């Protein structure tokens, strides 16, 4: 199951690459990719694992993106 999250601020390409590297290193993340010129991210994991996975991802965005926050933007329709 995939979920879209909107970024609260613009991040650089370098930040985006570093964020993706860390996010994809999380064991339960099946897929992670930026969309719309790095203004949204799609994260795919099992439904019951979202709370733990997203807690880690929110912290990664805040640290690497210098305070960047995420807000839920919808579900991926497969």
């Amino acid at each position: 199951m995939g979920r879209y999250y909107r970024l609260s601020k613009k991040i650089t390409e370098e930040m985006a690459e570093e964020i993706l590297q860390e996010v994809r290193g999380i064991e339960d993340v099946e897929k992670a990719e930026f969309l719309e010129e790095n203004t949204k991210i799609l994260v795919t994991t099992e439904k019951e694992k979202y709370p733990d996975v997203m807690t880690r991802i929110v912290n990664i965005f805040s640290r690497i993106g210098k305070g960047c926050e995420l807000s839920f933007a919808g579900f991926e329709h497969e």
Side-chain angles (χ1 to χ4, degrees), residues 11-70:
I11 60 171
T12 66
E13 274 303 317
E14 292 78 20
M15 287 176 178
E17 289 174 25
E18 190 175 346
I19 287 168
L20 276 184
Q21 184 176 8
E22 283 200 37
V23 168
R24 289 177 176 159
I26 298 171
E27 182 180 341
D28 295 320
V29 172
E30 296 169 14
K31 179 170 79 172
E33 64 182 320
F34 280 104
L35 307 161
E36 299 177 14
E37 298 179 9
N38 297 341
T39 61
K40 280 173 79 174
I41 187 169
L42 170 63
V43 177
T44 305
T45 190
E46 294 176 33
K47 184 177 181 179
E48 65 276 358
K49 295 190 178 176
Y50 268 103
D52 292 334
V53 165
M54 289 312 299
T55 297
R56 292 181 66 188
I57 291 174
V58 164
N59 289 331
I60 291 168
F61 268 87
S62 180
R63 179 172 38 85
I64 296 172
K66 299 187 184 344
C68 182
E69 298 176 352
L70 298 177

